[in-house]
Amino acid sequence: MDHQPKFFENLSGAGKAIGVLTSGGDAQGMNAAVRAVVRMGIYVNAKVYFIYEGYQGMVDGGDNIVEVSWESVSSILQVGGTVIGSARCKPFRTREGRLQAAFNLVQRGITNLCVIGGDGSLTGANLFREEWSGLLEELAQKGKIDAEAVKKYAYLNIVGMVGSIDNDFCGTDMTIGTDSALHRIIEVVDAIMTTAQSHQRTFVLEVMGRHCGYLALVSALACGADWVFIPEYPPEEGWEDSMCVKLSENRARKKRLNIIIVAEGAIDCHNKPITSEKVKDLVVQRLGFDTRVTILGHVQRGGTPSAFDRILASRMGVEAVLALLEATPDTPACVVSLSGNQAVRLPLMECVQMTQEVQKAMDEGRFLEAVRLRGRSFENNLNTYKLLSHKKPDSELPKTNFNVAVLNVGAPAAGMNAAVRAAVRVGMTEGHKIFAVIDGFEGFARGKIKEISWGDVGGWTGQGGSILGTKRTLPAKYLEKIADQMRTNNINALMVIGGFEAFESCLQLYEARSSFEEFKVPMCVLPATISNNVPGTDYSIGADTALNAIVETCDRIKQSASGTKRRVFIIETMGGYCGYLANMGALAAGADAAYIFEEQFDIRELQANVEHLTEKMKTSIQRGLVLRNENCNENYTTDFIYQLYSEEGKGVFDCRKNVLGHMQQGGAPSPFDRNFGTKISAKAMQWISKKLKETYRKEEGKVFANTDDSVCLLGMRRRNLVFQPVAELKSETDFIHRIPKEQWWLKLRPLMKILAKYKTSYDVSDSGQLEHVAMLPKEAETGAI
């Protein structure tokens, strides 16, 4: 829809006061949200106050409610937990307590609250808002405030952000802290796997989630666990036997370890708890396996926030301030949340009611309903887990006589192996024979192709790089040989997992269909590259892992200068001509500038950046960070920028430079990449099956797919996963610079600049409309993991 861009310059916060508090259990990323609220609030000329220790501080008043400045939130982005504290607060549950809190806020003129917490904290905030005018009248009757104040501060506006590692809040795909908690769990599981392998042990891991199985389910999906227990989907009667059969079958297949994941709130179908100890005793008694229990506990809440959580919290914080500025006495209290890749506003109480519905459904034993109410993303995770973890006996599998080949193309990206594993297992479940091609199209031309089975891909989810081997070679120069191999091996469909080369390869095969009958088969491209430069998708497998590597390194580099004099770091990132890593890395690491190819810059802009940084460094700010994409400008090289900053900053700061290089490509895949890879691969294989059925010609006994929509790329677009014909994507692509012509993340550029104290214009056309929970598109099969 074409609308005039709406810029938030027209929204002024002058004369408004915003209070920000964190409440309930802490979650990594809360500080990033606090920082964004403070800086955005100050940017629009509002006053911003910290309310320390959650609602307790609001009730106690005094030094607990303090006006803050820009510098107050410097260097908190990378800190876990919440620097303004959080506490359970009994007094706020009483009217007396809320009366005192209202008095403390009115004294400072605060009528806008930004609450970061779980559903309990947000429900409390809503009640406070409903009672507000009554509370003020009572204060006036008691002579504590005058009639003028009652009139002036008549309305309280509330915007919530959900900070909870459990991801248990309906209406939002990802709550702040969930991704970081998954990072902690996966780090532990990866470490445990190596020791379990050595001793042929079974490990039972207990993860947090008293009422919500999200962490258990997603970590089971991300590490390929043998069994998972979650509160929303209790195992069927007789689960003890089926679990033991499965574990012993796995051992018989030469698998040296078993991993069982238990959510702390896991129950059986009679609502009786299933504890990790109970599971361990069962395995020991029935199977005699050497079994150990590990309870992760508060480790999951700790540590530094992941790149995803920092970006999510920063986007939500800015959105929350916009929502407060636009709020009227008639708008209901709302939560800002994420749907797919889009910030949305939802009525707070609708979300809370739906969240309570889930608990009610579980209490009443309506478990399928509970799973459905948790949302599309949860349901998808569960279905994908069930599909990939249990191999049906061969006698129960359909037989289609179709052969599907899977290959990696381009540079390695973390998460490729998870995608291959899902493709193999879903393909086998659908009844196909799956062939693995070694070393991309070069290997294909040489006949390096072999059938691959269920067990061959066990343990692949956590492996970085590409186990199949990958090459950048495009098929154009081997077309004849590839056609021969497809004929010889009777290949009826292709799944190509890779970066820009994978997209180009399928385009070449599609365009060569007129010369080669063999290429008239369904083909699907899965985007997998750290550069995130593939057209037709907002995210690529591997980009999240690379982003985390960049952010982690930036944190270390910044810390290396603590205690020394003022210092600025110039850091070069990869990405070809695509500025995604530099831009998003800058947003997540709290950088002062990011130079990218997509936004041309000249010497005047460089000069302005240096001057801006010099001014900042004259305050209490100690360290500066500047990111530069490797190909952003052929003349303004990393050395040039380093020398410019060194010269111009003399006497104020000194400079260091770092080229991050290939460490951005390595490492174990992040939870997001494992799950994104697994889910889109499973969906792509189901699409291939559908296309094979549609294009099979019985009378000729062969597949004949000759339409544009039989060669597609599966991408995440805003809220949905969509299959797009590569022929159509051709017009959306800049082939010289190997990037899409339009990129969603460029809209987040101003966000980074605002948080780094630049004046800029920010298009907020996308934000703003209040939606309803029930109306979230049912098909929104989101990229939320």
Side-chain angles (χ1 to χ4, degrees):
M1 85 186 181
D2 284 336
H3 49 221
Q4 284 299 305
K6 177 177 85 177
F7 294 100
F8 77 92
E9 279 77 318
N10 320 332
L11 298 170
S12 166
K16 291 196 173 181
I18 299 172
V20 57
L21 69 145
T22 51
S23 172
D26 69 319
Q28 308 96 321
M30 279 183 165
N31 289 326
V34 168
R35 168 180 176 267
V37 170
V38 169
R39 293 197 165 170
M40 185 66 179
I42 291 172
Y43 186 87
V44 295
N45 298 319
K47 284 183 168 183
V48 186
Y49 290 83
F50 273 172
I51 301 173
Y52 286 101
E53 310 305 337
Y55 289 119
Q56 190 65 52
M58 203 192 286
V59 175
D60 294 345
D63 292 345
N64 289 303
I65 307 177
V66 183
E67 190 178 349
V68 287
S69 68
W70 184 271
E71 285 85 26
S72 307
V73 289
S74 180
S75 302
I76 68 167
L77 183 63
Q78 67 275 22
V79 181
T82 162
V83 294
I84 56 176
S86 175
R88 308 262 176 224
C89 176
K90 285 223 171 93
F92 192 77
R93 294 186 172 179
T94 66
R95 187 172 167 91
E96 272 313 300
R98 293 192 290 276
L99 194 66
Q100 187 56 43
F103 175 66
N104 291 332
L105 293 185
V106 168
Q107 277 197 310
R108 294 163 180 82
I110 300 173
T111 55
N112 294 283
L113 278 186
C114 182
V115 184
I116 308 164
D119 58 345
S121 314
L122 299 179
T123 313
N126 192 59
L127 175 64
F128 190 40
R129 177 178 180 270
E130 285 170 356
E131 289 183 353
W132 182 258
S133 51
L135 293 170
L136 293 200
E137 276 163 24
E138 195 174 323
L139 288 171
Q141 280 162 12
K142 291 186 172 172
K144 286 194 169 182
I145 59 173
D146 55 24
E148 185 55 36
V150 176
K151 214 151 111 189
K152 189 176 175 187
Y153 305 122
Y155 301 106
L156 177 70
N157 293 317
I158 282 182
V159 172
M161 276 184 269
V162 192
S164 151
I165 65 165
D166 292 343
N167 203 20
D168 55 356
F169 195 78
C170 291
T172 179
D173 280 340
M174 286 295 271
T175 57
I176 296 166
T178 307
D179 187 61
S180 302
L182 286 171
H183 273 260
R184 295 302 92 79
I185 295 170
I186 292 305
E187 282 157 19
V188 171
V189 175
D190 285 355
I192 277 177
M193 277 183 153
T194 55
T195 164
Q197 202 120 27
S198 313
H199 295 279
Q200 297 203 35
R201 282 197 174 128
T202 296
F203 268 87
V204 181
L205 277 118
E206 185 180 302
V207 301
M208 281 186 168
R210 218 167 321 150
H211 305 294
C212 178
Y214 186 88
L215 290 178
L217 177 57
V218 173
S219 44
L221 199 53
C223 70
D226 297 274
W227 203 273
V228 65
F229 293 97
I230 57 173
E232 293 88 344
Y233 191 77
E236 291 164 5
E237 285 281 12
W239 60 269
E240 296 89 345
D241 298 333
S242 7
M243 183 181 80
C244 291
V245 166
K246 166 126 199 273
L247 296 181
S248 44
E249 272 176 8
N250 280 352
R251 283 293 168 95
R253 284 199 208 112
K254 302 282 187 291
K255 190 176 173 190
R256 292 178 62 89
L257 78 158
N258 304 107
I259 300 273
I260 299 165
I261 294 183
V262 185
E264 60 178 329
I267 47 173
D268 63 17
C269 49
H270 305 298
N271 258 327
K272 297 266 185 312
I274 296 177
T275 63
S276 40
E277 279 300 328
K278 180 178 174 179
V279 175
K280 175 201 157 176
D281 294 343
L282 183 76
V283 176
V284 172
Q285 284 160 15
R286 298 253 188 124
L287 302 171
F289 290 172
D290 184 357
T291 308
R292 298 282 191 275
V293 171
T294 300
I295 296 172
L296 295 192
H298 282 75
V299 166
Q300 296 160 82
R301 280 194 192 282
T304 177
S306 65
F308 184 96
D309 272 332
R310 296 183 199 192
I311 293 165
L312 169 69
S314 300
R315 285 176 72 181
M316 297 300 112
V318 167
E319 183 70 25
V321 173
L322 293 175
L324 285 172
L325 292 185
E326 291 176 358
T328 67
D330 305 324
T331 43
C334 75
V335 279
V336 290
S337 74
L338 194 70
S339 173
N341 186 24
Q342 219 184 338
V344 291
R345 295 180 196 171
L346 301 164
L348 188 147
M349 286 322 286
E350 280 187 25
C351 297
V352 169
Q353 276 152 6
M354 195 149 158
T355 306
Q356 289 165 350
E357 281 295 312
V358 181
Q359 192 53 50
K360 203 169 147 210
M362 291 195 302
D363 293 342
E364 293 170 6
R366 292 180 288 121
F367 295 110
L368 287 173
E369 178 72 357
V371 169
R372 200 185 60 73
L373 287 168
R374 274 270 179 248
R376 188 76 193 180
S377 170
F378 189 91
E379 207 172 345
N380 251 329
N381 283 322
L382 184 60
N383 293 337
T384 311
Y385 176 76
K386 289 195 292 198
L387 209 57
L388 297 176
S389 61
H390 301 283
K391 182 181 189 295
K392 287 182 178 164
D394 291 347
S395 54
E396 284 178 33
L397 291 175
K399 279 279 174 286
T400 61
N401 296 326
F402 290 131
N403 295 342
V404 181
V406 179
L407 67 161
N408 292 159
V409 180
M416 277 182 162
N417 299 322
V420 172
R421 169 183 175 264
V424 169
R425 292 193 169 181
V426 174
M428 288 182 70
T429 309
E430 301 269 319
H432 315 316
K433 273 188 179 167
I434 308 294
F435 288 82
V437 179
I438 314 299
D439 295 339
F441 281 106
E442 205 173 297
F444 209 158
R446 293 194 185 138
K448 289 163 99 176
I449 176 168
K450 60 173 202 287
E451 192 179 342
I452 186 166
S453 69
W454 185 281
D456 295 339
V457 290
W460 277 29
T461 37
Q463 306 282 327
S466 160
I467 297 173
L468 290 184
T470 179
K471 289 265 194 295
R472 289 177 181 272
T473 322
L474 296 174
K477 56 179 184 181
Y478 298 119
L479 290 173
E480 219 153 288
K481 287 181 173 171
I482 292 169
D484 279 350
Q485 289 297 335
M486 287 183 71
R487 195 170 50 252
T488 312
N489 293 288
N490 190 23
I491 300 297
N492 311 113
L494 285 184
M495 187 189 283
V496 185
I497 303 166
F500 197 87
E501 294 86 356
F503 163 65
E504 266 185 301
S505 300
C506 284
L507 200 52
Q508 289 180 355
L509 295 178
Y510 161 78
E511 285 167 353
R513 275 177 165 180
S514 51
S515 317
F516 299 95
E517 286 285 305
E518 291 80 359
F519 299 151
K520 292 176 180 174
V521 296
M523 300 181 199
C524 190
V525 181
L526 292 189
T529 164
I530 66 165
S531 307
N532 198 22
N533 63 333
V534 181
T537 187
D538 290 356
Y539 291 119
S540 303
I541 300 164
D544 184 69
T545 305
L547 205 49
N548 276 295
I550 292 168
V551 169
E552 226 167 275
T553 310
C554 287
D555 287 353
R556 285 188 183 188
I557 288 173
K558 272 168 94 171
Q559 200 178 26
S560 72
S562 69
T564 62
K565 54 183 186 292
R566 295 190 163 87
R567 185 163 285 172
V568 172
F569 294 97
I570 316 290
I571 292 173
E572 182 188 301
T573 67
M574 286 166 93
Y577 285 97
C578 177
Y580 178 82
L581 290 178
N583 188 68
M584 301 308 264
L587 188 56
D592 297 274
Y595 298 115
I596 59 172
F597 170 76
E598 291 88 346
E599 198 172 276
Q600 292 297 303
F601 56 96
D602 56 19
I603 195 71
R604 284 179 297 278
E605 189 166 338
L606 285 169
Q607 179 66 29
N609 290 156
V610 177
E611 284 168 10
H612 184 265
L613 201 48
T614 311
E615 282 311 303
K616 250 165 115 175
M617 286 287 193
K618 287 177 181 166
T619 64
S620 58
I621 307 278
Q622 294 284 322
R623 291 181 290 288
L625 192 62
V626 174
L627 270 63
R628 177 190 174 272
N629 159 268
E630 56 184 353
N631 288 350
C632 66
N633 187 301
E634 58 181 327
N635 295 314
Y636 298 141
T637 60
T638 302
D639 282 332
F640 177 90
I641 292 175
Y642 162 67
Q643 284 159 353
L644 177 77
Y645 274 76
S646 297
E647 181 58 36
E648 297 293 320
K650 268 187 184 161
V652 182
F653 57 79
D654 65 357
C655 266
R656 295 285 184 274
K657 70 170 198 277
N658 265 72
V659 176
L660 297 186
H662 278 77
M663 52 88 63
Q664 295 163 81
Q665 212 156 19
S670 66
F672 182 95
D673 281 332
R674 295 181 191 200
N675 283 9
F676 186 54
T678 299
K679 280 164 78 171
I680 66 170
S681 179
K683 194 174 170 72
M685 188 54 82
Q686 287 165 335
W687 176 86
I688 285 176
S689 297
K690 186 170 134 264
K691 286 285 168 207
L692 284 169
K693 285 189 190 102
E694 286 170 10
T695 57
Y696 182 67
R697 294 186 169 178
K698 219 172 185 177
E699 56 286 352
E700 296 167 47
K702 68 170 194 178
V703 170
F704 184 81
N706 202 20
T707 53
D708 286 2
D709 69 356
S710 59
V711 185
C712 278
L713 179 140
L714 173 56
M716 161 91 190
R717 278 270 169 106
R718 285 167 82 102
R719 297 189 184 189
N720 300 318
L721 287 174
V722 264
F723 290 94
Q724 302 143 99
V726 293
E728 284 174 21
L729 291 174
K730 197 174 175 180
S731 60
E732 296 178 23
T733 309
D734 169 354
F735 283 94
I736 296 165
H737 299 105
R738 301 158 59 86
I739 51 175
K741 287 178 184 169
E742 279 189 22
Q743 302 186 83
W744 69 274
W745 51 266
L746 284 167
K747 278 196 166 174
L748 299 185
R749 283 279 293 167
L751 206 76
M752 186 203 85
K753 292 178 181 174
I754 289 167
L755 296 176
K757 216 174 185 174
Y758 284 93
K759 287 283 174 216
T760 181
S761 64
Y762 180 35
D763 177 5
V764 292
S765 326
D766 268 0
S767 63
Q769 293 318 304
L770 198 64
E771 303 187 12
H772 291 286
V773 186
M775 282 168 58
L776 282 178
K778 248 321 183 206
E779 256 313 300
E781 189 173 317
T782 59
I785 55 176

